[in-house]
Amino acid sequence: MTEAIIAIITVALIVFIYIGSYVLNRRVPAPYQKVDEATCGACSNYACGVKQKLSEER
Amino acid sequence: MISPTVFFVAIVSSMLINNIVLMRFLGVCPFLGVSRKTESALGMSAAVTFVMLVASVLTYILYYLVLDPFGIEYISTIAFILVIASLVQLVEMFIKRFSQKLYKMLGIYLPLIVTNCAILGIVEINIRENYAVQYGFGAGLAVAVTSALGAALGFALVMFAFSSIRERLDAATVPESWKGVPISLVVAGIMALAFLGLGGIV
């Protein structure tokens, strides 16, 4: 029983550390990437976030 | 006191004889995916080296101070994956902040270091080799880190060599059906054969 509790606490602690590092990473803004509109327009992946953002901007 | 030979053997063995990519076939995804340009291959190697070294230290300490004494070794794999994932988040944050060019070059392969089997493989090998039992906790940690450093250097060496060859292949006359991935895989096979020749040195 004690083993199981320690196992759960250990995993929970590491998950907490992971969430912390994830949140810190998300707070740092990604560098701006210039998208080539011609290439983007030729692509047929309509689920792509970049494509959706570009069409919204237009 | 451990003989320096142990460290030499650990580094040469994991770098050349048991090369993580060409002999153990771990980390093949970035090996093929980020080896188009030497610059990005070296950036990837640096990121993998950092994660591999820090992950080796943290997982070794976690295993021998928490998991082993409490008899909960069965959660080692999930714990190690979480440690590696946290480290990758920190590396991504660092690269995003200080080297935007490298961040753009690595692209999706940067967060995918989490799923790089080479890192988890080295961490598991270090535990399975029982360095702590053979040399004691502190010295075992040093040997484990040396072994991880050797593996990381081996990964970097192979990435650099393969990316250099691929850059030259772009300018070479290759039959149409062999262009791209097929000729790259042939090159990788020949490189693996070359590394096989190093077996038996140590």
Side-chain angles (χ1 to χ4, degrees):
Chain A
M1 187 62 188
T2 320
E3 277 178 19
I5 292 167
I6 293 168
I8 291 164
I9 291 169
T10 308
V11 172
L13 199 69
I14 305 171
V15 167
F16 182 74
I17 292 168
Y18 171 72
I19 292 168
S21 63
Y22 177 82
V23 170
L24 278 176
N25 185 23
R26 288 298 123 192
R27 280 187 184 176
V28 177
Y32 176 73
Q33 283 175 293
K34 196 180 177 188
V35 181
D36 181 11
E37 289 196 27
T39 316
C40 187
C43 172
S44 56
N45 182 6
Y46 291 96
C48 172
V50 179
K51 199 177 183 70
Q52 285 171 6
K53 199 178 174 187
L54 262 182
S55 59
E56 278 169 19
E57 282 173 8
R58 281 185 204 134
Chain B
M1 182 71 186
I2 307 179
S3 160
T5 318
V6 174
F7 294 105
F8 179 73
V9 169
I11 209 158
V12 171
S13 168
S14 53
M15 184 179 170
L16 299 173
I17 298 157
N18 294 314
N19 187 280
I20 197 83
V21 181
L22 297 176
M23 290 292 116
R24 294 189 194 269
F25 301 108
L26 297 170
V28 176
C29 172
F31 174 66
L32 293 174
V34 200
S35 57
R36 280 187 163 272
K37 287 189 176 168
T38 310
E39 207 179 350
S40 56
L42 288 176
M44 183 56 146
S45 305
V48 167
T49 303
F50 176 78
V51 174
M52 206 178 263
L53 286 178
V54 181
S56 293
V57 174
L58 292 180
T59 53
Y60 185 93
I61 292 169
L62 181 71
Y63 186 85
Y64 285 108
L65 292 187
V66 181
L67 305 185
D68 191 38
F70 290 108
I72 50 171
E73 300 95 335
Y74 55 88
I75 63 158
S76 63
T77 306
I78 184 110
F80 293 171
I81 290 170
L82 284 166
V83 168
I84 293 166
S86 308
L87 278 171
V88 170
Q89 292 294 331
L90 294 175
V91 169
E92 189 181 340
M93 186 175 70
F94 184 82
I95 293 178
K96 218 191 289 184
R97 183 80 177 81
F98 294 106
S99 178
Q100 301 195 341
K101 193 182 171 194
L102 183 62
Y103 178 77
K104 286 174 192 168
M105 274 196 300
L106 294 177
I108 188 68
Y109 290 99
L110 186 56
L112 280 181
I113 295 176
V114 177
T115 57
N116 188 342
C117 317
I119 296 169
L120 187 62
I122 281 298
V123 161
E124 287 284 359
I125 288 165
N126 281 342
I127 299 298
R128 203 170 296 169
E129 289 288 333
N130 275 329
Y131 292 132
V133 178
Q134 287 181 56
Y135 307 110
F137 180 78
L141 176 62
V143 177
V145 172
T146 310
S147 178
L149 178 67
L153 289 176
F155 182 82
L157 174 74
V158 167
M159 285 288 281
F160 177 69
F162 192 55
S163 61
S164 305
I165 294 170
R166 283 187 84 175
E167 276 186 354
R168 293 194 69 175
L169 276 175
D170 287 342
T173 315
V174 179
E176 194 60 39
S177 55
W178 285 79
K179 274 184 182 171
V181 178
I183 193 74
S184 302
L185 289 175
V186 170
V187 169
I190 294 169
M191 283 175 72
L193 281 174
F195 271 76
L196 197 66
L198 296 168
I201 286 179
V202 179

